[in-house]
Amino acid sequence: MTTRTTCPYCGVGCGVLATPGAPVKGDTAHPANRGRLCSKGTALGETLNHPNRLLFPEVDGKRASWDAALDAMAEGFRTALNEHGPDGVALYVSGQLLTEDYYAANKFAKGFLGTANIDSNSRLCMASAVAGHRRAFGEDLVPGIYDDLEQADLLVLLGSNTAWCHPVLFQRIQAARAAGKRIVVIDPRRTATCEGADLHLALRPGSDVALYLGLLAHLHSAGFPVPEAALEPARGLDVPALTGLSAQALATFYAWFAATPRTVTLFSQGANQSSAGADKANAIINAHVAHGSLGLPGGGPFSVTGQPNAMGGREVGALANMLAGHLEWDRPGEFEALRDYWQAPRLAPRAGLKAVDLFNAAAEGRIGALWVMATNPAVSMPAGDTVRQALKCVPMLAVSDCVADSDTLALARIRLPALGWGEKDGTVTNSERVMSRQRRFLPAPGEARQDWWIVSQVAARLGWGRHFAWKNPAAIFREHAALTGLARPANRVFDISGLADLTDAEYDAMEPTRWPVARRGELGGRLAPAARFVPTAFRAPVNAPGGDLPFILNTGRLRDQWHTMTRTGQVPRLMAHVPEPFLAMHPADAVAPDGALVRVEGSHGQAVLRLRHDAGQRQGEVFAPMHWTEAFAQGARINSAVNPAVDPVSGQPELKHSPVAVEPFPIRWQGFVLARRQLSLHAAWQAVVPLEGGVWRHELAGGDAPAQRFAALRDACALPDAAWVVLEDAAGGHFRAAALKDGRLLAVVFIAPDHLLPPREWLAGLFAETAIGSAARRTILAGAPASGPAPSPTICVCNGVSRATIEAAIEGGCCSVAAVGETTHAGTGCGSCRPEIASLIAVARQPEPA
Ligand SMILES: Nc1nc2c(c(=O)[nH]1)N[C@H]1C(S)=C(S)[C@@H](COP(=O)(O)OP(=O)(O)OC[C@H]3O[C@@H](n4cnc5c(=O)[nH]c(N)nc54)[C@H](O)[C@@H]3O)O[C@H]1N2
Ligand SMILES: Nc1nc2c(c(=O)[nH]1)N[C@H]1C(S)=C(S)[C@@H](COP(=O)(O)OP(=O)(O)OC[C@H]3O[C@@H](n4cnc5c(=O)[nH]c(N)nc54)[C@H](O)[C@@H]3O)O[C@H]1N2
Ligand code: SF4
Ligand SMILES: [Mo]
C-alpha cells in the first residue's frame, strides 16, 4: 500500500510516496517537487523505526498512565493560574506541528487559558518576514509561487543557502535555467549556493538594508517612482563602506535589477535572523514595489519558510502577537468576532511574551507552567545555557515529543509521547501557500498520541471539553477553515472558508490546494497585494565585535542534518557528509591548525568545535552549524555562545551575528574510539557519530593523563574475551589498541597528543571484514592501509561516493557534473550534492598559485 503524503522537513513541502518497507519516493503529481527529492527526503525511510522513541507518558521520571499524566498537566496549569494568573502560564510550540495540532494548541492557550503566552520556534525563524509582510501588505502574505523562481530572469538569493536548505527549489531553479537567466547570491560567506551564480556579493553581515537602500536610490535615479519618505534614509549613505562591497559590484547588481522586470528576491534566515530582520524584509519589498515587479509572473519579494508547517502556524495565529486566522487585536471588531466564534469569554485580551522574553520570564520565576511541543529550545534558543537555567525554574515543565532523549526533555517534569511523521494525520502549508495532506501510514507506537488529542484531553480536564470535542483532524480543519470566513470589518486575503464543508472523505482525499479558497472549487494563485512603502533606515547589528570578543559568529545549516538531529542524526549516511561539529574560519585568521579543537566564547557561554580553515569565510567572521546537541556532542552546542539580541519589531533573535572570541582549546590528548555499540564515555569534549554497519565513532579530547585515559577507554569497551593488540608510546603520547575476536574487529582506541590522528573511514570499514589476518592486524594500528588511496569524506550520500573518487574522476578528465556522474555515479541520485561536485571541478580548474 502506497500513501501519498508530504515530506516533514523543509518548507518546500515536497510530496512523497511512502510504502512501508520500501524507500520513500518523490510524488510526480505534487506541484512543489513533481517527483524530485533531496538527500534528506530520500533518506526518510531510514528515520522510521527510531531506536529511541518516547512510548509512554512519564511524570517525575516514572512511567504513568495517560490519565495520571493528563491529570498532572491539568493540576499544573490550575496551580499556576491560581498563583500567577493567565500571564504565568505558557506554551512554546513549533512549525513542525500540523495545522490541526497548531490550531488546537492556540485555541487552548488564547481562548481558554486566557493567555497569549503561546509562542513558537517560528519566532526564531519567520517572525521578521511576518512583520515585514504585515507592515507592507497589512497581512502576512507571501505573494509569489514557485513557478516565479523558474520564470524569473534575475533571481536574487539573499541570506539563503538554497542549495542546502531548500534543495528541491534549487534543483527546479537550475533545471529551468534558460539562457540569459542570472543568479545573484547575497551572503557574507561562500556557500554551495554560490556555485554557478553569476555574482556573489559577500557583504558585511547585517548590511542588507544598506544594500537595498542603495538599490532604491538607484531605481529612483533610473526613473522608477519612489516616495520621498522611503528614499530619505538612503540619502548620504555610504553603501560601499557599510556593505564592504566594491562600487563596481554594486553597480553591476543595481544595473541588472533595474533592467530586469522579472526579478525575484528570495530571502531567508540571513534576512530574518537579524536585529534588523523586519527592516530587511521591508527594504526588499520596497525595492520590488518601486521596481514594479511585485505581483508580476517571475517577479517580486519571496520569503521562503524553513519548517514544513511554518506557514500553517502563521495561519492559525499561534504566535504571541497574533490571533487566529490572520485576525488582530487592534482591528476593530476582530477580537470580538473570534471570542464569539470560539465562545471563549476569557480570550486573551492582548499580545503575550515572545520567545526570548518568555524564557526570561521563566528564569525570573514568573511562569508556573510551560508546555513545550515539537521543539527543542534547550538547543535552538540563543544564550542556550541561560535558557536551560530558565527551563529548570518552571515548576511544571511539560514536553511533548516523539523521541525519548532531547536536551529539553531531559529537564521536563511531565513527558508526553507524541505521534511523529507517518503516524499523524493533518495538513501543512508550504512556502507558496499550498496546503497538503500529511497522511498516516504507520501504526501508533506504544501509547503515543497525536498532539491535538493531548491538548483536547488537558482542556477537558480543565472543564472546557465541549470546545475541544473533535473526533478527528478533519473536524479541526473545518473549524479553522470556517473561522477564516468570519464576517470581518476588514477583508483578509487569507480565506479558506471554501473548504469549511469538506466531508471527512473529501478531507482525506484533499489534493494540494493553494490558498486563498474563499469559495468551494476556487484556487489561489499568485497574489498582487496593494503595498505600502515602509521607510527603513540602516542600523548596525546590536552587538559589535571588538575588545575581548573580536570575531563575528554566524550560524546556520548543513545539507544533510535537520535542526537538533533527532531524526537525521540517526542515519549513518546522512552523518557521513559532515560527521563532527566544526567552526569555519578564514586561514588568515586561524588561531590554530586545521583540525584542532577551538573554544568559541560569547557573552553568554561557550562551545568547543573542530576548526576548519575555510577561504570562503570573510576575515573576522566565523561560521558554525546549529545542529549539535548535548546528546551528540558534549560541550559543542553553539547556541551557548550565541547572543540573545532581538529585532525590536519582530522579536526575532539575531542568530547570525554574535561577537565571540576564538582560542585553542587546551587539551593533553585527543582520540577516538570505534566500537560496535554506542559507549557511554565522558571527556572534556566528545562527539558521537553513528556509522554504516552498526559501528559507532566516538571523538574525544581531554586534559587528564593520556595513559590512564587509554586504559579507561579500553575498559569502557567492556570486551573481556577479545584479544587486544596494543601499541604504547608513553613518551610521545601515542596509544593505539584494537580488539579482535575470531578474525573480526570489535573496537579500536586511538590517542594522540594532538589532532593528528589517522582518518577514521578506513578503520571503520574494517569492521565489516570477517577474517582479519595477522598481517592486516599490524596495519590496523598504523591506522592506514599498506597501500591504496587515502579515505575521504562522502560527498554523494545516495551512492556513497567519496570526495577522493570524485577528485580522481575530475583529474581523469571529467569536466562537468554530468561527466563525473557518468564515471562515478556521484550526483545521479537525489542531486543534493551537485553544487559541491561543481565546486570541486571549479577548484581543480583554478590555476596553481605561483
Ligand atoms: N538541510 C537543512 N535544510 C533545512 C533546515 C535544516 O535544518 N537542514 N532547516 C529548515 C529551516 S527551519 C530553515 S529556517 C531554513 C533556513 O534556510 P537558510 O536561511 O537558507 O539557512 P541558514 O543556513 O540558516 O542561513 C542562510 C544564510 O544566511 C547567511 N547570512 C548570515 N548573515 C547574513 C547577513 O547579514 N546577510 C545575508 N544576506 N546573509 C547572511 C549565512 O551565511 C547562511 O549561508 O532551512 C530549512 N531547511
Ligand atoms: N544558532 C542558531 N540557532 C537556531 C537557528 C540558526 O540558524 N542558528 N535556526 C532557528 C530556526 S530557523 C529554527 S526553525 C529552530 C529549530 O529548532 P527546534 O525546533 O528546536 O529543532 P528540532 O530539532 O526540529 O526540534 C523539533 C522537536 O520536535 C520533535 N517532533 C517532531 N515532530 C513532532 C510532532 O509531531 N509532535 C511533537 N510533539 N514533537 C515532534 C522532534 O523529535 C524534535 O525533538 O532553530 C533555531 N535556532
Ligand atoms: S527539499 Fe528535501 S527536505 Fe525539503 S521538503 Fe523537499 S525532500 Fe523534504
Ligand atoms: Mo526555521
Side-chain angles (χ1 to χ4, degrees):
M1 247 296 274
T2 296
T3 306
R4 285 181 73 196
T5 181
T6 314
C7 175
Y9 292 122
C10 82
V12 178
C14 297
V16 304
L17 302 175
T19 316
V24 163
K25 288 219 217 42
D27 181 355
T28 49
H30 197 286
N33 57 320
R34 303 198 185 100
R36 293 182 171 90
L37 289 181
C38 76
S39 48
K40 293 183 300 304
T42 312
L44 265 172
E46 292 150 65
T47 65
L48 304 173
N49 303 320
H50 195 285
N52 215 354
R53 285 294 297 267
L54 184 62
L55 295 172
F56 308 101
E58 290 174 13
V59 178
D60 294 322
K62 288 196 264 319
R63 179 171 170 179
S65 66
W66 268 113
D67 268 335
L70 294 165
D71 286 345
M73 292 287 292
E75 190 50 41
F77 277 117
R78 232 180 260 121
T79 307
L81 284 170
N82 285 339
E83 260 175 45
H84 304 266
D87 291 341
V89 295
L91 273 70
Y92 184 63
V93 301
S94 153
Q96 289 166 80
L97 292 173
L98 302 180
T99 300
E100 293 73 7
D101 298 318
Y102 232 143
Y103 178 90
N106 189 49
K107 182 177 182 183
F108 173 67
K110 294 205 181 97
F112 292 86
L113 288 174
T115 182
N117 288 346
I118 170 167
D119 216 32
S120 157
N121 62 2
S122 270
R123 185 67 59 198
L124 315 179
C125 184
M126 301 315 302
S128 296
V130 173
H133 293 152
R134 289 164 88 190
R135 291 198 298 189
F137 309 137
E139 185 176 354
D140 178 19
L141 299 178
V142 174
I145 57 178
Y146 293 162
D147 291 349
D148 292 325
L149 307 177
E150 294 172 331
Q151 290 172 16
D153 295 320
L154 173 62
L155 183 58
V156 185
L157 305 173
L158 184 146
S160 162
N161 188 3
T162 328
W164 282 9
C165 296
H166 296 91
V168 165
L169 284 187
F170 195 71
Q171 290 179 24
R172 282 184 59 169
I173 293 163
Q174 297 296 3
R177 201 156 170 192
K181 182 185 187 113
R182 287 190 176 118
I183 297 184
V184 176
V185 176
I186 302 176
D187 193 311
R189 41 175 211 132
R190 185 166 180 88
T191 63
T193 303
C194 299
E195 276 330 306
D198 299 278
L199 183 65
H200 171 208
L201 298 176
L203 80 178
R204 287 181 58 181
S207 65
D208 306 76
V209 169
L211 177 67
Y212 266 67
L213 278 171
L215 173 59
L216 201 65
H218 177 87
L219 290 171
H220 177 67
S221 66
F224 294 91
V226 182
E228 178 52 35
L231 206 55
E232 217 284 315
R235 295 201 196 285
L237 208 63
D238 187 345
V239 180
L242 292 171
T243 59
L245 298 169
S246 70
Q248 191 199 344
L250 289 168
T252 305
F253 170 51
Y254 292 168
W256 286 355
F257 198 110
T260 316
R262 289 171 183 248
T263 294
V264 170
T265 303
L266 176 151
F267 63 101
S268 177
Q269 300 314 338
N272 298 345
Q273 290 172 343
S274 158
S275 58
D279 282 356
K280 288 187 186 182
N282 287 112
I284 293 166
I285 296 169
N286 287 348
H288 283 279
V289 175
H291 186 232
S293 43
L294 171 68
L296 271 193
F302 202 134
S303 148
V304 280
T305 51
Q307 299 178 92
N309 201 28
M311 276 287 217
R314 289 147 67 174
E315 290 154 15
V316 304
L319 282 157
N321 56 333
M322 296 162 87
L323 287 172
H326 285 196
L327 299 175
E328 310 223 6
W329 277 281
D330 58 6
R331 305 223 191 188
E334 299 196 351
F335 171 84
E336 292 75 13
L338 181 63
R339 188 190 58 199
D340 297 347
Y341 181 73
W342 276 351
Q343 300 171 36
R346 296 157 62 111
L347 181 63
R350 59 181 173 276
L353 296 170
K354 296 173 184 155
V356 170
D357 295 334
L358 174 62
F359 289 100
N360 285 340
E364 289 161 15
R366 290 190 278 128
I367 304 293
L370 172 62
W371 188 356
V372 176
M373 263 176 234
T375 175
N376 194 0
V379 182
S380 51
M381 283 287 293
D385 299 349
T386 317
V387 168
R388 277 165 197 250
Q389 267 323 107
L391 288 166
K392 290 180 192 160
C393 295
V394 179
M396 191 205 71
L397 176 66
V399 178
S400 303
D401 205 298
C402 313
V403 301
D405 63 353
S406 83
D407 289 14
T408 305
L409 272 165
L411 306 171
R413 230 205 93 201
I414 303 180
R415 298 176 200 175
L416 304 168
L419 293 181
W421 184 73
E423 302 152 0
K424 58 183 181 177
D425 233 320
T427 54
V428 291
T429 310
N430 73 4
S431 298
E432 58 161 358
R433 288 176 278 113
V434 169
M435 300 173 285
S436 297
R437 288 280 280 107
Q438 257 195 32
R439 296 186 175 89
R440 177 204 318 267
F441 58 91
L442 294 169
E447 293 179 3
R449 304 298 303 254
Q450 192 163 334
D451 291 291
W452 69 263
W453 180 88
I454 307 175
V455 171
S456 72
Q457 297 305 304
V458 177
R461 277 167 173 75
L462 289 165
W464 308 316
R466 74 185 173 86
H467 303 278
F468 294 82
W470 305 294
K471 74 173 198 301
N472 55 22
I476 305 178
F477 184 83
R478 285 188 288 266
E479 182 177 316
H480 162 57
L483 189 161
T484 68
L486 287 186
R488 299 169 184 172
N491 275 333
R492 286 288 184 285
V493 175
F494 175 55
D495 186 337
I496 54 166
S497 55
L499 301 170
D501 61 352
L502 292 187
T503 62
D504 286 2
E506 287 169 329
Y507 173 81
D508 283 340
M510 189 170 126
E511 288 293 320
T513 304
R514 184 181 291 108
W515 62 258
V517 189
R519 264 169 298 279
R520 207 178 172 130
E522 266 182 5
L523 279 191
R526 181 180 297 108
L527 302 172
R532 251 169 34 84
F533 276 94
V534 179
T536 57
F538 168 75
R539 273 182 284 121
V542 170
N543 293 312
D548 292 346
L549 306 175
F551 292 99
I552 297 170
L553 170 67
N554 174 10
T555 59
R557 291 163 168 76
L558 296 176
R559 191 189 78 191
D560 292 351
Q561 291 299 344
W562 179 260
H563 295 168
T564 70
M565 298 169 56
T566 48
R567 282 170 289 185
T568 47
Q570 308 293 331
V571 182
R573 70 184 169 110
L574 294 182
M575 285 302 274
H577 183 236
V578 180
E580 284 181 285
F582 70 88
L583 183 80
M585 183 176 227
H586 193 277
D589 284 339
V591 297
D594 188 61
L597 292 175
V598 289
R599 179 174 25 223
V600 186
E601 188 152 9
S603 53
H604 286 66
Q606 61 169 50
V608 175
L609 307 169
R610 202 173 289 288
L611 185 67
R612 261 199 199 179
H613 293 188
D614 180 349
Q617 285 295 130
R618 286 164 47 96
Q619 276 182 249
E621 295 164 22
V622 293
F623 174 86
M626 62 168 288
H627 306 292
W628 272 267
T629 67
E630 207 61 27
F632 283 92
Q634 288 153 22
R637 284 178 296 106
I638 192 59
N639 272 350
S640 296
V642 170
N643 66 197
V646 297
D647 179 299
V649 181
S650 70
Q652 180 155 355
E654 186 148 66
L655 298 166
K656 298 279 186 258
H657 193 285
S658 307
V660 294
V662 183
E663 51 202 43
F665 181 55
I667 46 149
R668 284 179 66 191
W669 59 271
Q670 263 202 55
F672 63 87
V673 178
L674 303 178
R676 289 186 184 269
R677 62 192 173 86
Q678 184 175 357
L679 304 173
S680 158
L681 307 173
H682 296 279
W685 186 81
Q686 180 177 189
V688 183
V689 192
L691 305 177
E692 300 284 0
V695 178
W696 287 80
R697 167 175 165 191
H698 310 76
E699 293 289 332
L700 303 147
D704 48 333
Q708 278 89 317
R709 175 58 71 153
F710 180 59
L713 289 176
R714 284 173 54 198
D715 288 347
C717 294
L719 298 166
D721 50 350
W724 285 92
V725 274
V726 179
L727 183 154
E728 293 194 48
D729 161 16
H734 292 276
F735 301 85
R736 298 177 172 195
L740 292 116
K741 193 183 172 197
D742 304 330
R744 291 175 77 229
L745 188 56
L746 298 185
V748 298
V749 178
F750 275 60
I751 281 186
D754 50 31
H755 63 286
L756 299 173
L757 284 151
R760 299 18 162 196
E761 291 84 350
W762 178 77
L763 284 167
L766 291 181
F767 281 76
E769 298 199 2
T770 50
I772 297 180
S774 55
R777 286 176 192 220
R778 279 193 295 278
T779 55
I780 296 176
L781 292 193
S787 62
S792 76
T794 312
I795 299 289
C796 171
V797 293
C798 292
N799 296 316
V801 188
S802 70
R803 190 170 69 201
T805 307
I806 296 168
E807 282 169 344
I810 296 169
E811 191 127 309
C814 296
C815 49
S816 69
V817 175
V820 169
E822 271 174 36
T823 310
T824 67
H825 298 298
T828 60
C830 73
S832 291
C833 62
R834 278 182 214 143
E836 283 161 285
I837 300 174
S839 98
L840 291 175
I841 295 172
V843 167
R845 278 207 200 118
Q846 257 162 28
E848 291 285 328

